[in-house]
Amino acid sequence: MVVYLAILSALFLAALDQTIVATALPQMVEDLQGIDRYAWVATAYLLASTALALIYGKLADTYPRKNVTLGAIGLFLSGSVLCGLSGEFGTLPLLGDGMSQLVIFRGLQGAGGGGLFAMTFIVIADLFTPAERGRYQGLVGAVFGIASVLGPVVGGLLTDHAGGLIPGVEGWRWVFYVNIPVGAVAVWFILRRMPRFEPRGDRARPDLLGGALLLAGLMPFVLSLQLDKRRYPWLPWLGEGGPGGTDAWATSLLFGFGCVVLAAFVARSKRAENPILDFSLFQNDVFRRANLGTFFLGAAFMSVTIFLPLFLVNVLGVSATRAGAALIPFSIGIVFAATFSGQVVAKIGYRIQIVAGAVLLLVAIVLLANMGSDVSYLRVTLYMVMAGLGVGPSLPLYTLAIQNAVDVRFIGQATSSSQFFRQTGATVGAALMGTVLATTLGVAFATIELPPGLLEGSDATAEGFVSTGGADLPDRIRAFYVEAAEDAGTERTAADLRAEGTRKAEETSAEVRAAFTRATTRIYWLAAGLVVCGILASMRIPELPLRTTHDRAEPEGNPG
């Protein structure tokens, strides 16, 4: 239990880091003067954690789990310290200015964070038998839920009030430094109490060329999905400037290159003696179908969390704080469902809980898809509770089903694959939904009749209004008519112009809200389709009895 709590504390740091940084990020980019690289702080973390997930699984199947876990924590804590120091010493050779340093060091953090996610489930598999493992893996979902609730609060408090702890050290830097004491405690307990957990099976050196191909293919592939499609369209001729610009080709070239290199990785893995991912695992029905299900549900999960705040702010007109608070019920639902499902899985099995949860998630998403501009905040909150209860069982149970079904020699690869497919699904889902959002808003804004001369002498464009969600468009229109009224020849004409400006601004505001409602509806219906695919895959997962003996006592067999 000491080892279990230590590994959970390390996982909590990695989970908290994903939400605590988001709150402090605006202040970071202001101090480091890097607003143009705002999104790269999150993208660097995602790239590294996704690309290294499968590699951590192979390392855990080859080297002592204790060493791999300590290595992941070491990378994460080192990255935390360096992120906190970004820009403190000015521009550095090779690393660039403070914002570039932050992006690079966030990648280092992601390399460790991705390992913490994978190693948590792998170490739990070493500590507990499959029959009792569910109750402990269920608490992992609770860790994520608690981190998602505490992260924004702690991030805001540290950013606003921690600046006075040490003179000259900005408050946002403590967002990274706070990881050190908790991480140090986890390291101490792991060093003192955690067994080495030597892996079974072949201890030959992993296929280094295969690992290099995996990284070289995944990074451009994931990056192509993360790029802003308004600036970097899916196809060159979809961009504003036509196919001639360099930016127009970025997504298609990165995506194509990534796919080609990943295909080379698959070919290499099928003939390598000790591949990063043993593709014979896909012959196992549980492994194949569970990973397919977690891919689709991961994509739908991301759609719920990313785009609901946009709807609340731009349609219902709530504050950003209240929009973020709407995700708290979602997290609470995940905590409860993940914990409960883990406690009862030994009695009722995993498949029925996964499918029932996915059906509940489907109902919640359909209700979200039918929201109009008159929906109440309370009703949205109830929908989010339902969605959280639906997502919760999938977090621990897909991994448990896979671990229970595969040969123990491949437990690391099997476990990390679940994380990899869930995270890849989330990335693909976010990219697809982002494209739907941008396309819907672009078409809607193109039909809005703007006053003649509104954009003359300005660098504003219709594309710019899409990128800001049209938030300032009604104000621009009102200000345009007010300025015209000042130049009017008579008071009557000026009054008419001001009244026309108010009417036109209100009309435009209604059109913007309608555009966001239409985009949200399309996004959630697409998410519902993804959930249906996940349900169909999950319904076909074989229900195998959970073993009551420890994995390490099982005889060796085939990967399936």
Side-chain angles (χ1 to χ4, degrees), residues 10 13-14 17 45 56 69-86 89 95 101-113 116 173 175-184 187:
L13 286 178
D17 190 74
Y45 190 99
Y56 272 109
T69 303
L70 289 172
I73 296 176
L75 280 176
F76 181 80
L77 295 181
S78 299
S80 297
V81 173
L82 292 172
C83 283
L85 292 174
S86 296
F89 306 103
L95 298 177
Q101 295 168 33
L102 180 62
V103 170
I104 293 171
F105 297 144
R106 278 288 285 170
L108 182 62
Q109 247 196 330
L116 289 177
R173 297 186 187 274
V175 167
F176 299 108
Y177 293 151
V178 74
N179 294 330
I180 308 306
V182 180
V187 169

Side-chain angles (χ1 to χ4, degrees), residues 145-469:
I146 294 170
S148 65
V149 173
L150 290 181
V153 177
V154 175
L157 288 175
L158 291 175
T159 302
D160 294 336
H161 304 293
L165 293 178
I166 298 179
V169 178
E170 295 90 342
W172 63 262
R173 297 186 187 274
W174 289 101
V175 167
F176 299 108
Y177 293 151
V178 74
N179 294 330
I180 308 306
V182 180
V185 172
V187 169
W188 187 84
F189 276 110
I190 291 172
L191 282 171
R192 293 291 302 272
R193 302 297 295 273
M194 182 175 176
R196 286 173 58 82
F197 288 132
E198 298 285 351
R200 295 178 61 183
D202 189 4
R203 299 289 298 274
R205 188 175 67 175
D207 178 28
L208 298 181
L209 177 57
L213 289 172
L214 176 63
L215 292 176
L218 267 179
M219 296 188 74
F221 176 81
V222 173
L223 183 58
S224 70
L225 300 177
Q226 287 289 305
L227 289 176
D228 185 347
K229 297 304 178 292
R230 293 183 294 270
R231 180 177 178 184
Y232 306 98
W234 283 104
L235 298 173
W237 48 85
L238 297 179
E240 281 192 335
T246 304
D247 291 353
W249 288 91
T251 294
S252 54
L253 290 177
L254 285 170
F255 183 83
F257 178 78
C259 289
V260 169
V261 178
L262 288 176
F265 162 72
V266 173
R268 168 72 183 182
S269 298
K270 288 183 176 180
R271 65 173 186 269
E273 292 184 2
N274 198 23
I276 296 297
L277 177 62
D278 195 315
F279 276 78
S280 61
L281 286 167
F282 287 95
Q283 299 172 12
N284 184 302
D285 288 340
V286 175
F287 179 89
R288 184 174 63 254
R289 293 167 185 170
N291 278 324
L292 185 62
T294 197
F295 174 87
F296 286 118
L297 289 185
F301 168 84
M302 188 59 65
S303 305
V304 171
T305 58
I306 289 181
F307 297 100
L308 181 71
L310 284 174
F311 174 85
L312 293 175
V313 170
N314 293 283
V315 177
L316 299 191
V318 306
S319 66
T321 301
R322 291 193 72 198
L327 296 178
I328 294 178
F330 180 66
S331 300
I332 293 174
I334 291 177
V335 170
F336 177 81
T339 305
F340 178 79
S341 63
Q343 300 301 312
V344 302
V345 65
K347 298 179 180 179
I348 65 177
Y350 48 77
R351 183 175 60 192
I352 186 172
Q353 293 195 77
I354 291 174
V355 173
V359 170
L360 182 59
L361 175 62
L362 176 62
V363 173
I365 290 179
V366 170
L367 291 172
L368 290 169
N370 284 280
M371 292 187 302
S373 58
D374 58 343
V375 68
S376 67
Y377 186 84
L378 176 60
R379 183 177 297 181
V380 175
T381 301
L382 294 176
Y383 295 164
M384 293 306 291
V385 172
M386 290 177 58
L389 292 173
V391 169
S394 68
L395 292 180
L397 297 187
Y398 275 126
T399 302
L400 176 62
I402 291 171
Q403 290 178 338
N404 184 61
V406 302
D407 188 305
V408 296
R409 295 175 299 164
F410 301 89
I411 198 75
Q413 296 174 62
T415 302
S416 63
S417 70
S418 178
Q419 173 195 339
F420 170 77
F421 282 108
R422 179 184 290 111
Q423 200 156 308
T424 303
T427 304
V428 172
L432 289 176
M433 306 307 173
T435 300
V436 171
L437 177 70
T439 301
T440 304
L441 294 183
V443 172
F445 287 2
T447 63
I448 295 177
E449 295 184 6
L450 299 177
L454 174 65
L455 302 181
E456 289 182 5
S458 169
D459 58 356
T461 63
E463 188 75 7
F465 291 130
V466 172
S467 64
T468 60

Side-chain angles (χ1 to χ4, degrees), residues 457-503:
S458 169
D459 58 356
T461 63
E463 188 75 7
F465 291 130
V466 172
S467 64
T468 60
D472 59 343
L473 189 53
D475 291 336
R476 275 178 173 265
I477 292 174
R478 188 177 288 107
F480 175 79
Y481 278 97
V482 168
E483 184 177 345
E486 293 176 354
D487 298 332
T490 65
E491 181 59 32
R492 180 179 180 83
T493 302
D496 289 343
L497 285 172
R498 284 192 290 268
E500 175 67 13
T502 300
R503 184 194 67 79

Side-chain angles (χ1 to χ4, degrees), residues 119-161:
M119 293 308 300
T120 296
F121 283 102
I122 295 171
V123 171
I124 291 175
D126 283 314
L127 293 172
F128 308 104
T129 67
E132 61 183 353
R133 193 178 300 159
R135 71 184 67 173
Y136 297 104
Q137 289 186 344
L139 293 178
V140 173
V143 168
F144 279 99
I146 294 170
S148 65
V149 173
L150 290 181
V153 177
V154 175
L157 288 175
L158 291 175
T159 302
D160 294 336
H161 304 293

